Amino acid sequence: MRGTFAGSTVLRSYWHAVARPDALLDGPLAITLLGERLVVWRAPGGELAAAVDRCPHREAPLSAGTVVAGGLQCPYHGWTYDEGGRCVLVPSAGTGAAIPPRAVLQSVRAAERYGLIWLCLDEPAAPIPTIAEDTEPGFRRINQPVERWAASATRLVDNFLDTAHFPFVHLGSFGGAADPEVARVELEPLGDFYGYQYEVEAVNSAAGASASGQAAATVSRRMSTGFALPFLVRSTIEYATGLRHTLLLASAPIDDEATWFTFVVWRNDDFSVPGDEVTRLDRMIGAEDKRMLEQVPGPLPLDATTLVNVQADRASLEWKRRFNDLLGDR
Ligand code: FES
Ligand SMILES: [Fe+2]
């Protein structure tokens, strides 16, 4: 199918954010990433672990199992695996019996960063991009739930790099004051990201006022938006008061047409307004994008001729060019 990408092996070499750590409190978690069914769990010693969700004995899903004192226990015959995926117990064989050498889960790399669980299915080609605010003094981090969007990850990234939809899709949140004409932007490296800087007039009602910490009817926001291949977008918003509000928009392909999406916010405010309140505008904006994108079927066509492009699509076209380079011949 046109625009398919999730089967490309190169995407297995990148880190993808799929869940929040608290999702593991009740036991192992089933996660599909790039079409692969995986299990993520917290081992009894506290280590984060992940593997292909298939027991080598009779292929039962380990995500339906339980974390017991000895490790991750398969729900079918109780074989139990340690955090490295090695079988440590075959109950039917009795204690002390030799473990079949091939009784090993296909392990997947797992890491915790920015309040998220990240998975990488192969040898990582690049580290998780650095968000400087995460270690800068004066900033707090606010996480959001991971949502399943019935929209392609390629559509999400294309949308997050696009400002021309603001006065239309975001009319209900901040877009009412945005100029529909999009100025030409220059693309440049922005830390681990690549993108552009611009200014936008934003409606500053209720949720906007909580985010901006100002009471005026509209506020000017100095923004930067950039991508890190394959699917991460960082957006920074600076107000005249010196308040900086940085967002990481993380999209992980479930398959070609569905996506795990979450965002993380860092802010250098005085911490007096609850995190839920200062991110209310961002959640409204996210819901507006979701409503739009879930109406657009299939993945973004990646060829050069299917879509019609204009000047305002420059950043998303640059992402598409680099994404195509990354995918290579497939
Ligand atoms: S299928 Fe897992 S123990 Fe038999
Ligand atoms: Fe949007």
Side-chain angles (χ1 to χ4, degrees), residues 21 24 40-43 46-50 83 110-112 116-119:
L24 304 181
V40 185
W41 76 100
R42 179 82 62 193
E47 305 90 343
L48 182 65
E83 67 278 4
E112 281 181 77
L116 297 171
I117 294 172
W118 301 72
L119 302 180

Side-chain angles (χ1 to χ4, degrees), residues 55 57-60 74 76-79 81:
C55 181
H57 178 223
R58 287 297 179 270
E59 302 191 321
C74 179
Y76 200 173
H77 311 89
W79 292 22
Y81 299 87

Side-chain angles (χ1 to χ4, degrees), residues 59-108:
E59 302 191 321
L62 290 142
S63 57
T66 321
V67 178
V68 297
L72 175 62
Q73 186 184 63
C74 179
Y76 200 173
H77 311 89
W79 292 22
T80 303
Y81 299 87
D82 69 12
E83 67 278 4
R86 284 167 299 271
C87 182
V88 291
L89 177 70
V90 176
S92 64
T95 40
I99 306 285
R102 292 195 303 113
V104 182
L105 303 180
Q106 204 179 315
S107 277
V108 163

Side-chain angles (χ1 to χ4, degrees), residues 135-196:
T135 50
E136 258 180 62
F139 280 83
R140 61 168 159 164
R141 192 189 71 221
I142 306 161
N143 280 94
Q144 301 294 321
V146 176
E147 296 178 345
R148 183 186 189 281
W149 285 22
S152 178
T154 49
R155 300 265 186 208
L156 268 68
V157 175
D158 179 70
N159 171 276
F160 298 151
L161 296 171
D162 163 37
T163 62
H165 72 280
F166 288 179
F168 305 96
V169 171
H170 299 306
L171 191 61
S173 53
F174 75 98
D179 182 352
E181 188 173 330
V182 175
R184 184 186 163 86
V185 295
E186 293 306 324
L187 300 172
E188 58 184 320
L190 304 165
D192 281 355
F193 295 80
Y194 187 79
Y196 56 100

